[in-house]
Amino acid sequence: MGFDGKNIISLKSVCKSFGKNEVLKNVSLDVSKGETLVVLGKSGTGKSVILQCIIGLMKPDSGIVEVFGKNIFEMPPAEFLNFRKRTGFLFQSGALYDSMSIRENLEFPLIRHFNPGRDVLNEKVTKSLDEVGLLKSIDKMPSELSGGMKKRAGLARTLILEPEILLYDEPTTGLDPATSRDISRLIRSVQKERNMTSVVVTHDMECVRMTADRIAVLKDGAFTVTGIPEEIMKAEDEYVKSFFN
Amino acid sequence: MKTGIQNILMNKIETAGEIMSFSFRYFREAAGLHREIKETLKQFYILILRSLPLVSITGLILGLTLALQLKPTLQSFGAEKLIPSLLSVSILREIGPIIISLICAGKMGSAIGAELGSMKVTEQIAAMEASAVRPFSYLVVTRVTAATIGVPLLIIYANALALAGGFIALKLQSDISVVLYTRLAFDILGFNDVIPPFLKTFVFGYTIGIVGAFKGYNCSRGTESVGLAANSAVVLSSLLIILLDMIAVQISTIF
Ligand SMILES: Nc1ncnc2c1ncn2[C@@H]1O[C@H](COP(=O)(O)OP(=O)(O)OP(=O)(O)O)[C@@H](O)[C@H]1O
Ligand SMILES: [Mg+2]
C-alpha cells in the first residue's frame, strides 16, 4: 500500500526507562519485507517493551520507530489505526477477550473494521480456526481452553485481519515441546504462505531454529549481536552461547 | 527534597489532571456513539439489572422510615398534614438523588472498575488497541453513557418507591387516602424541587461511569491492582458525588 522501501520495520536509537529502571538504552533494528527476525534475551531485558514500542502501545523516551516507512508517532489518527490494522500482535498470554466465546473473539475485529455479513464472518472464522486446529473449540469460552489453545486462538484472531506484519511475544513459552513445535510450525507456515514480515521474541531454541531468518541478541538495553542463525550459533560470546546450551 | 505531603499532593493533582483529560476524551469519542448503540444498550441493561434489587429496597425503606421519623415531631406541632409534602420535597430534592447515587457508586462504579481493570491487567485492552478496534469507544463510551442515563432513571424509580413507602407508613397508622396523600405530596412541588435535582443526577451518573472507567482503564500491572481499582473507584466517585451535590445545591439556591 504505497510503501515499497526495503525495511518494513525500523527502530533508530530507541530508549525507554521506567523511573530509574533504564530498560532500553539504545536499540536500533531493521526488518525487511518477508523476513523473520528472532529477538533473544534474558527475562526482563525488555523484549516485550520493544514489541510494544513497534506497535505504539508504548512510546519510547527518545528515538524513532518507523513502520511501513513512516514514524508511527507522527501519523495522523486514521493512518495510525490503519497501520495497526496491518500489524498483528500475539500477546504472551494470548489476551483473549474472556467475556466472549472463541467465535466472538475472532468475529470482533472483523465486525469492528468491516462489518461483513453473517456468511463472510462464518467463513473467515471457520477458516482461521481451522488453520490453527481449533475448529472443535469454536463455541467454547476462553476459560475452557488450555494455555496452548489460548495462544493458538490468539494467533487465529490476529491472522483474521490478514496483517502484513506479525509480532509474536513468546509464542511457545510455558507449553510442552510437542505443542511448542506445533506453534513454531504454524508460525513457519504463516510466513511462507503469506510472505509475512515477523518479529519473534522467544527463549525456545527449537522455535528459533524453525523460524529465524536472522537473530538479534538483546543485552543491557541494546542489541549486542545480530546475524543469520548459523553465525549466531557459532558466536564466541558467553551470553549468546548461553542460549544455545 | 520534596516532603511526603508535597509528593502526595502532586500525585493527587496529577491524577485530577488525568481524570479531566479522560473525561474530555469521552466527549470527543462520544461523537461515534451511534456506532456503539448495541453495546451501550447491553451495558445499560447489565448496570440497571445489577442495581435494581438494592435500589428498590433502599427506595421503599427510605420513604417508610422517613415518614415514621417525621410523624411524632410533626404530630406534636399538630402539623401532620405537612408530612406528605415534607416527604416529597426532601426525597426529590436531596435524599433520593444522593442516597441512590451513592448506592450506584458502590454497585456500578466497582463493577466497571473491576471489569475494565481485569481486562487491562490481562492485556485485553492492549490487544484491542493493537488491532485498532478503538477500545475506548467500545469499553468506556458505552459504559459511561449507560451510567449517565441509567442512574437518573434509577433515581426516578427509587423516588417513586420512597413516596409509596411513605404512604404505606402513614396508612398503617392513620387513615389517609391515596388521593389526599398524592395531592398533598405533589401540590407543593415547584420547578426548583423537580428540575434542578433531576439534572444533577445526570452529572452523578456520568461521574460514576467516568471514575469507574478511569480507574479500571488505568489500572496498573498485577492482579491485586484490580481490587484496588474497584475500591478506589467507589471511594473517589462517592466523594465527588458529595462535593458535586454541595455545588449543585449552591447553584440552585441562586435561582
Ligand atoms: N509498563 C511498565 N511499567 C513499568 N515497568 C515496566 C513496564 N513494562 C515493562 N517494565 C519493566 O521493563 C523491564 C523489561 O520488561 P519486559 O516485559 O520487556 O521483559 P521481557 O524481556 O519481555 O521479559 P520476559 O522474557 O520475562 O517476558 C522489566 O524490568 C519490567 O519491570
Ligand atoms: Mg516479555
Side-chain angles (χ1 to χ4, degrees), chain A residues 55 57 81 84 87 89 91 93 95-98 100 108-109 112-113 157 161, chain B residues 35-36 118-119 122-124 126-135 137-138:
Chain A
I55 194 135
L57 286 173
L81 287 182
R84 277 185 164 170
T87 310
F89 194 122
F91 284 81
S93 57
L96 296 176
Y97 309 134
D98 51 22
M100 306 180 194
F108 185 69
R112 299 282 294 171
H113 283 298
R157 188 182 67 190
L161 284 178
Chain B
R35 284 192 299 261
E36 312 284 3
S118 71
M119 289 188 75
T122 54
E123 296 184 310
Q124 294 176 51
M128 287 189 183
E129 292 274 0
S131 54
V133 292
R134 291 171 287 107
S137 166
Y138 181 76

Side-chain angles (χ1 to χ4, degrees), chain A residues 228-242:
Chain A
I228 57 170
E230 292 75 26
E231 280 171 21
I232 300 284
M233 285 178 204
K234 273 186 273 171
E236 292 298 316
D237 190 296
E238 284 301 318
Y239 182 77
V240 177
K241 266 188 184 168
S242 68

Side-chain angles (χ1 to χ4, degrees), chain B residues 17 59 85 87 103 105 111 113 120 142 145 164 166 168 170 181 186 188 224 249:
Chain B
S85 27
L87 274 178
I103 283 182
K120 169 81 177 195
T142 52
T145 307
I168 293 170
L170 296 184
Y181 178 81
F186 283 90
I188 190 162
E224 75 283 356
V249 170

Side-chain angles (χ1 to χ4, degrees), chain A residues 44 46-49 92 169-170 201:
Chain A
K47 304 180 299 297
S48 300
V49 172
Q92 213 160 332
D169 197 350
E170 310 204 7
V201 164

Side-chain angles (χ1 to χ4, degrees), chain A residues 6 22 44 48 55-56 63 84 101-103 122-123 126 129 135 155-156 159 177 179 185 196 199 204 215 228 234:
Chain A
K6 188 170 168 296
E22 281 183 65
S48 300
I55 194 135
R84 277 185 164 170
S101 71
I102 300 304
R103 181 200 297 277
N122 285 342
E123 188 198 315
T126 316
L129 278 179
L135 206 45
L155 183 57
L159 288 175
T179 315
R185 214 170 280 138
M196 190 79 75
V199 179
D204 171 9
I215 298 176
I228 57 170
K234 273 186 273 171

